Amino acid sequence: MEKVTEAPEQGVIIKETVDGVAVSKPARTTRGSGGKDVAKPRPDPYIWGIYIMLLMVSVIELFSASSSEVSGSNVYMPLIRHAIFLVIGLGLVLALQNTHYGYFSRFAWFAALISLGLLIFSNFFGVEINGAQRAIRVAGFTIQPPEIVKLTVVVLLATILGRNQEPRGVSNKGIIWAALVVVIFGAFLWKNGLTNTILLFGVSLSMFLIGGMKWKKFFMVLGVYAICGGVLYMMKYTGDKSEDLDSVGKTEMVAQASGDGRVDTHKGRIQRFLDGVSPTDPINDENRQVIFAKIAQANGGVFGQGPGNSRESARLPLAFSDYIYSIIVEDTGFVGGVFLLALYLFLLARAGRIAYFCSRAFPAFLIMGCAVLIVFQALVHMAIVTGLFPVSGQPLPLISKGGTSIVVMSMAIGIMLSVSRFAVINGNKKQINAELKELPEDMQAANYSTQVTKND
């Protein structure tokens, strides 16, 4: 093992070789009891910077998009309610970044089963919001179990894949267990929304590829997902004819009143998506969101109307949640929309770099799973708003209004910061040994990317 240590004026940069991979990382130093400088890990500043910028966008644009909720005497009330959840989320980020990521694996199964119980409860006894029975009301607050399930499943998948990591990738046992978890949770998510189920499948497939799954096995798992999805689709079509709507407001209320089933709702959305809209089409409950979202984006032009100057927020249903990206484009233009997209993509890229240099498999899976969850959901939201995907309810992470979504996505950021702080990426032998002591013996498998680089 090679080791080169440089001591610049403001800190220590340690360059070493871990399993054949030379990496480096600046570290903050503190004075130890023996008078020597001791490296103190710190969270990734780039992830923190992206998180703070998303919070700033959230506060500004939520206020701009909430005109339909504002009353004359409580102009700032929507912003205050939103800010409370952002502060709660910030507190969770600070707490989780100081928690060693190894603890998350110890409670992964418990948290996942609790979230599954909440999801099942909401399916049968939940309260309806915008026509969808997917929320639980507790002490005046509503909890959205589907949002919780997505994060707990990511942590559980990272635990399963990390425990079953081999030098050549994830073992067959790990693949089977992970796919089984996704299918079970996806079956219960189906009733709460097709988009959430597709997101869960997409995130899991991404984590499989990150873990080095061979393409043959990848397509086998993809085929299993497709078969299970088809079975659920047929069961829903021939069995349950009750309607439960994604949070898309009035767009789907006509379908509910006519007694169409959930499958008919999906078919209607896809058909309307394929038919498209024209500026000459009369505005009705079925195309209201699509038309006003397109008008808002057209108003934005290249540089936008300026923050707070949105004209369509008063007419666009759910402008503060499912369609907030259209208001952001109206306020900041094409430039602002692309900048926000770049922020999410940079978050994914930064997570990928940290994961690549992690010495252990579990933290690599964990940080990439959280990043993929956040970015995939953001991309789906943007695709829906810009007309690339059919209409469905999906909040923009850390920006859209919604207490549960903000709290869950903040926890995902906190977990990413924990990995960036405590996962060893600088090759220091003492730090690697300290990291291993925090992990159970069956979670100490080496990172697949490190092994590939070593073999190369």
Side-chain angles (χ1 to χ4, degrees):
M1 176 179 289
E2 299 178 359
K3 177 177 180 180
V4 179
T5 304
E6 303 176 6
E9 182 178 353
Q10 297 298 326
V12 176
I13 299 179
I14 303 174
K15 295 183 178 180
E16 299 192 1
T17 300
V18 186
D19 296 331
V21 182
V23 295
S24 64
K25 177 184 178 182
R28 188 172 50 193
T29 60
T30 56
R31 184 68 63 178
S33 58
K36 298 181 179 181
D37 286 338
V38 180
K40 183 178 181 181
R42 59 182 179 181
D44 186 74
Y46 294 99
I47 295 178
W48 257 114
I50 295 171
Y51 174 62
I52 295 300
M53 295 187 73
L54 290 176
L55 293 188
M56 294 172 60
V57 173
S58 179
V59 171
I60 295 172
E61 294 303 328
L62 192 281
F63 183 70
S64 176
S66 297
S67 60
S68 60
E69 282 196 322
V70 171
S71 62
S73 58
N74 294 303
V75 176
Y76 296 102
M77 186 54 64
L79 183 61
I80 293 174
R81 290 197 302 265
H82 184 66
I84 290 174
F85 284 107
L86 291 180
V87 171
I88 294 174
L90 178 61
L92 290 171
V93 170
L94 293 172
L96 291 176
Q97 77 161 5
N98 293 320
T99 303
H100 194 282
Y101 69 85
Y103 287 100
F104 303 133
S105 67
R106 301 176 186 179
F107 302 100
W109 279 102
F110 175 77
L113 292 176
I114 291 297
S115 66
L116 180 60
L118 292 174
L119 181 64
I120 295 173
F121 182 87
S122 68
N123 286 342
F124 293 97
F125 306 104
V127 297
E128 289 191 3
I129 298 179
N130 294 323
Q133 188 178 2
R134 66 171 65 181
I136 300 174
R137 192 176 300 278
V138 178
F141 294 94
T142 56
I143 301 175
Q144 301 277 354
E147 298 297 321
I148 303 174
V149 163
K150 286 184 287 188
L151 179 59
T152 57
V153 170
V154 164
V155 177
L156 180 56
L157 289 179
T159 301
I160 295 174
L161 298 177
R163 182 173 287 127
N164 294 277
Q165 184 73 28
E166 296 177 345
R168 295 182 179 180
V170 181
S171 66
N172 291 336
K173 177 183 176 182
I175 293 173
I176 293 173
W177 271 104
L180 185 61
V181 166
V182 172
V183 169
I184 292 175
F185 279 80
F188 288 102
L189 268 179
W190 183 276
K191 189 177 188 299
N192 284 270
L194 177 61
T195 309
N196 285 328
T197 307
I198 294 176
L199 267 176
L200 185 62
F201 284 2
V203 171
S204 66
L205 291 173
S206 299
M207 295 179 71
F208 289 155
L209 290 177
I210 293 167
M213 176 187 284
K214 305 302 180 183
W215 284 108
K216 180 180 179 180
K217 296 179 181 179
F218 175 83
F219 286 114
M220 289 177 62
V221 173
L222 187 61
V224 171
Y225 285 178
I227 293 173
C228 293
V231 171
L232 289 172
Y233 187 90
M234 295 303 298
M235 290 175 60
K236 190 72 176 178
Y237 183 77
T238 58
D240 183 12
K241 289 292 183 178
S242 62
E243 173 68 82
D244 93 87
L245 307 174
D246 289 334
S247 53
V248 292
K250 294 182 179 179
T251 303
E252 303 298 338
M253 289 185 180
V254 173
Q256 182 178 10
S258 64
D260 293 338
R262 181 64 171 167
V263 173
D264 292 333
T265 300
H266 294 160
K267 290 180 178 179
R269 290 177 178 175
I270 295 174
Q271 187 59 50
R272 287 191 292 273
F273 169 72
L274 295 175
D275 292 340
V277 295
S278 170
T280 59
D281 290 343
I283 299 176
N284 53 44
D285 288 336
E286 292 185 350
N287 62 18
R288 183 182 305 276
Q289 287 177 304
V290 176
I291 290 179
F292 286 140
K294 290 183 178 294
I295 292 175
Q297 294 169 71
N299 288 339
V302 177
F303 298 104
Q305 302 294 324
N309 293 324
S310 169
R311 294 180 294 177
E312 300 304 319
S313 59
R315 298 195 298 173
L316 177 61
L318 299 176
F320 46 80
S321 57
D322 295 346
Y323 277 82
I324 196 170
Y325 186 67
S326 62
I327 304 303
I328 293 174
V329 173
E330 185 179 15
D331 285 352
T332 62
F334 175 79
V335 173
V338 171
F339 175 76
L340 183 59
L341 172 62
L343 275 183
Y344 284 111
L345 294 179
F346 184 56
L347 178 67
L348 181 61
R350 188 61 187 171
R353 179 171 177 79
I354 295 172
Y356 182 78
F357 289 118
C358 285
S359 63
R360 303 298 104 188
F362 172 62
F365 281 120
L366 192 59
I367 190 171
M368 284 304 299
C370 290
V372 169
L373 173 63
I374 294 173
V375 176
F376 272 23
Q377 182 164 318
L379 293 178
V380 169
H381 174 98
M382 295 176 183
I384 293 171
V385 170
T386 55
L388 297 177
F389 282 3
V391 172
S392 181
Q394 202 62 228
L396 188 60
L398 298 168
I399 294 180
S400 291
K401 178 187 175 184
T404 306
S405 176
I406 290 174
V407 169
V408 169
M409 292 301 165
S410 298
M411 293 177 67
I413 292 290
I415 292 173
M416 294 175 64
L417 289 169
S418 173
V419 171
S420 72
R421 183 172 189 178
F422 295 108
V424 175
I425 67 173
N426 61 14
N428 185 287
K429 185 175 181 180
K430 292 183 179 179
Q431 289 184 344
I432 290 178
N433 292 333
E435 180 183 26
L436 294 179
K437 291 180 181 179
E438 296 289 344
L439 293 173
E441 185 175 351
D442 60 352
M443 296 294 294
Q444 297 180 6
N447 188 6
Y448 170 77
S449 62
T450 300
Q451 298 296 319
V452 172
T453 306
K454 180 179 178 180
N455 294 334
D456 291 341

